[in-house]
Amino acid sequence: MSDLILIHTRYQFLEQLRVPIALVASAFFPAAAMLAFVVPFAGADPASATSATAGMMLFGAMSAALIGLSISVAQDREQPWDPYLRTLPAGPLPRFAGRILTTMAGMLLSVVPVLLISAFLTAAAISPLRLALGIGALLVGSVPFMLMGLFIGYAASPKAAIAVSQVAYFPIAALGGLLVPLEVMPGFLQSLASFVPSRGAIELMWAAVAGRTPSPVSLAAFAVWTILAAAAATWAYRRDEGRRFS
Amino acid sequence: MTVLARAIEATRRYGDVLALDRVSLDIRAGELVGLLGPNGAGKSTLISLLVGLRRPTSGTVELFGGSPSDPAVRRGIGVTPQETGLPESLRVGEIVDFVSAHFPERYGKAELLARFGLGDLVRRQVGGLSGGQRRRLAVALAFAGRPRLVFLDEPTTGLDVEARRTLWEGIRSFHADGGTVVLTSHYLEEIEALAQRVVVIGRGRVLADDTVRAVRDVVGVRRVSFAAPVAPELPGILRSSVENGRVHLLTADSDRLVTELVHAGTAFADLEVRPASLEEAFITITSKEETRV
């Protein structure tokens, strides 16, 4: 079974690499935001440059998880290749796992330009251990966004998936304080911030890269979002299966 | 003989639409069975039940004595994907490797591709293939895992004559080596060239299940048409219709019908006799079935 997971991952990743527009998009936005927001405003102070870099890494990962995954799932569902794969002697697991692993690989790639900009153009500083922890936290922190991406992809048509995922992406990212620090946002937005999943995710990353203590409310909200998104993704997947393969 | 695939009173509904109506069918080892029927007759639904894509609403479907929805059972089958859905950015060789990897036994990539006339396209991306090349790749994929039983849905649609013959040779040699084949087609000619047994499906039911010769006789219907305001009442007419001032009659014996027509003194002009299309023959079989029931 693990052989098949590897094979599915390999070919999905190959497909992704050969049509790299999604990868380019998820790498471009955080890199551009890095140059626009972080380098000029937070670049000089090592602590704030480091935490802002973490925010941009998560911003890129969210794009790959939420937008990339939802669009690729919705598009694949429209292709007759999808039902054909179901006639092969494999359950749904290899394809599903392949999708998640491919998305994670895409996330890690999208992080590279952000890290390069951070290293060369800001005062950000991090130890290799903290960097590894931070990447681990990034993968954990993006789980609810992958689940949301799966939910949208299984519930919506490709066109709707593009729209819905983009509309969800920016407000969630901004409200979590990934683009600009919460302190510069209006008060009522600050009070909402603890309840969006991006807040818990970024606080996890800050705990990993800077040893800051995350707020319990944000972490609890992150856990609740993860459970809700998992339930929604499972529901949408079953509904899609039931509609097409019952 | 061993039964490889079996449907017992299988019924499949899509909402209010009855796609398959209590179909019972055995596919035995070593057979080359043609499923014949117009679009929407239920052929694809029947195949989707046999390969585990759908479950019957009622009744039973078995594959190698087990359930088609069990992945391990499906190691013994090969299916053609629709060529329109092949992943565009992958290369021909990569798709073959990907599909083969699911099976314990497999063909050598070079051998498989050569067999389907794709030997020099291993490194070509699917997006750059012609329609015919995609079609042949899709059919080749059904054989990649050395299956005991292959399901070929419209294998030669859109192919030129030469490519069709090549593909037929491939199917025949698989069958000669002991493989079992279920194929669907619109073309009576294709079924005649390949199959020994024909199952005619119409309106979700098995209308005929017999040798090629027997079914050919049943569908050996002719269409007699001429200009006249109303259709005459004559013996031997299976179905009649009037369209734009022309009468169309379907009959099994056109010589006799024309003789009767002349004897009856009916006024007609512009007489035309031609073999009925497969579609018309199906409609005839279908309506006969209804009058009999």
Side-chain angles (χ1 to χ4, degrees):
Chain A
M1 185 52 83
S2 59
D3 286 1
L4 282 181
I5 291 178
L6 270 181
I7 284 154
H8 278 252
T9 309
R10 177 160 167 236
Y11 285 99
Q12 287 181 28
F13 197 66
L14 261 182
E15 282 193 75
Q16 179 89 264
L17 280 182
R18 299 232 173 105
V19 190
I21 189 67
L23 285 179
V24 170
S26 59
F28 172 79
F29 284 119
M34 195 66 197
L35 291 172
F37 298 114
V38 179
V39 173
F41 301 117
D45 172 47
S48 52
T50 307
S51 46
T53 301
M56 289 306 154
M57 288 166 71
L58 184 60
F59 185 60
M62 272 182 67
S63 160
L66 199 55
I67 300 179
L69 192 54
S70 65
I71 295 174
S72 68
V73 169
Q75 280 175 342
D76 284 352
R77 283 196 308 128
E78 301 236 308
Q79 295 294 332
W81 184 246
D82 221 34
Y84 167 71
L85 291 179
R86 295 181 54 93
T87 70
L88 294 176
L93 179 68
R95 181 141 171 92
F96 214 81
R99 247 192 228 304
I100 299 291
L101 292 174
T102 304
T103 305
M104 285 186 165
M107 275 178 203
L108 295 181
L109 281 180
S110 77
V111 155
V112 172
V114 171
L115 285 176
L116 289 177
I117 292 169
S118 179
F120 290 110
L121 301 180
T122 77
I126 193 166
S127 70
L129 174 69
R130 290 234 174 251
L131 179 63
L133 278 177
I135 286 173
L138 179 74
L139 293 178
V140 173
S142 51
V143 167
F145 304 108
M146 284 196 266
L147 293 168
M148 286 180 207
L150 289 172
F151 164 64
I152 296 168
Y154 281 110
S157 69
K159 278 185 181 165
I162 293 174
V164 173
S165 60
Q166 305 243 16
V167 164
Y169 171 58
F170 284 101
I172 294 178
L175 267 181
L178 305 193
L179 301 180
V180 292
L182 280 185
E183 297 77 50
V184 305
M185 290 205 266
F188 74 101
L189 288 183
Q190 287 189 33
S191 58
L192 283 179
S194 300
F195 302 103
V196 294
S198 53
R199 189 68 201 171
I202 191 62
E203 291 194 1
L204 273 180
M205 284 192 73
W206 285 338
V209 300
R212 285 202 234 165
T213 312
S215 112
V217 180
S218 300
L219 288 188
F222 177 83
V224 170
W225 274 101
T226 306
I227 293 165
L228 286 179
T234 310
W235 171 80
Y237 178 75
R238 294 235 173 100
R239 173 173 155 271
D240 183 54
E241 294 256 281
R243 201 164 48 194
R244 302 192 305 153
F245 305 115
S246 61
Chain B
M1 255 192 288
T2 327
V3 173
L4 298 189
R6 163 178 282 170
I8 306 160
E9 293 277 300
T11 294
R12 171 68 209 200
R13 290 179 179 280
Y14 302 111
D16 290 340
V17 181
L18 185 59
L20 272 191
D21 185 9
R22 286 167 291 139
V23 166
S24 295
L25 190 70
D26 284 355
I27 308 291
R28 289 173 289 269
E31 283 190 313
L32 209 168
V33 183
L35 290 184
L36 200 54
N39 281 330
K43 298 184 306 248
S44 301
T45 300
L46 177 59
I47 288 192
S48 72
L49 296 184
L50 291 169
V51 302
L53 268 182
R54 295 195 167 86
R55 285 182 283 272
T57 312
S58 67
T60 316
V61 176
E62 285 173 8
L63 196 60
F64 308 118
S67 162
S69 57
D70 176 358
V73 165
R74 294 199 301 269
R75 285 192 188 131
I77 62 167
V79 180
T80 37
Q82 278 182 37
E83 76 273 20
T84 51
L86 297 171
E88 301 267 315
S89 60
L90 292 184
R91 299 181 201 282
V92 169
E94 288 167 350
I95 293 198
V96 172
D97 287 339
F98 171 74
V99 171
S100 302
H102 290 78
F103 296 89
E105 285 180 61
R106 48 195 85 146
Y107 265 103
K109 179 165 55 181
E111 186 193 349
L112 181 73
L113 290 176
R115 204 165 188 176
F116 289 92
L118 296 165
D120 44 354
L121 299 174
V122 190
R123 297 200 40 83
R124 181 82 65 85
Q125 284 191 353
V126 169
L129 297 182
S130 72
Q133 289 165 339
R134 285 171 192 234
R135 187 71 266 190
R136 276 181 281 156
L137 173 59
V139 176
L141 291 179
F143 295 92
R146 288 194 177 272
R148 293 164 69 194
L149 169 59
V150 290
F151 294 90
L152 307 175
D153 201 0
E154 309 272 345
T156 63
T157 303
L159 290 186
D160 60 38
V161 176
E162 199 187 334
R164 178 173 296 173
R165 303 264 164 212
T166 312
L167 209 57
W168 285 358
E169 274 318 305
I171 296 169
R172 280 201 198 99
S173 74
F174 170 77
H175 179 241
D177 293 344
T180 307
V181 182
V182 176
L183 76 115
T184 72
S185 186
H186 287 308
Y187 307 122
L188 189 57
E189 183 205 358
E190 179 156 291
I191 302 270
E192 283 180 350
L194 293 172
Q196 301 152 329
R197 175 181 162 205
V198 184
V199 177
V200 182
I201 296 188
R203 300 186 190 187
R205 309 197 55 182
V206 172
L207 302 179
D209 181 351
D210 216 322
T211 61
V212 170
R213 171 181 286 274
V215 170
R216 192 171 40 201
D217 289 345
V218 177
V219 298
V221 173
R222 295 196 170 255
R223 177 188 173 101
V224 176
S225 59
F226 47 84
V230 286
E233 290 287 332
L234 290 172
I237 297 175
L238 298 169
R239 201 168 66 97
S240 67
S241 61
V242 185
E243 227 177 281
N244 299 330
R246 280 189 76 81
V247 173
H248 302 279
L249 305 173
L250 293 185
T251 176
D253 188 345
S254 53
D255 299 341
R256 188 163 150 241
L257 181 64
V258 172
T259 313
E260 296 272 358
L261 195 63
V262 174
H263 278 300
T266 321
F268 65 87
D270 199 10
L271 179 73
E272 188 187 281
V273 179
R274 62 175 178 80
S277 70
L278 209 49
E279 194 85 15
E280 289 167 325
F282 286 132
I283 294 168
T284 313
I285 297 177
T286 317
S287 53
K288 267 200 296 195
E289 177 75 10
E290 274 174 0
T291 43
R292 215 172 64 202
V293 170

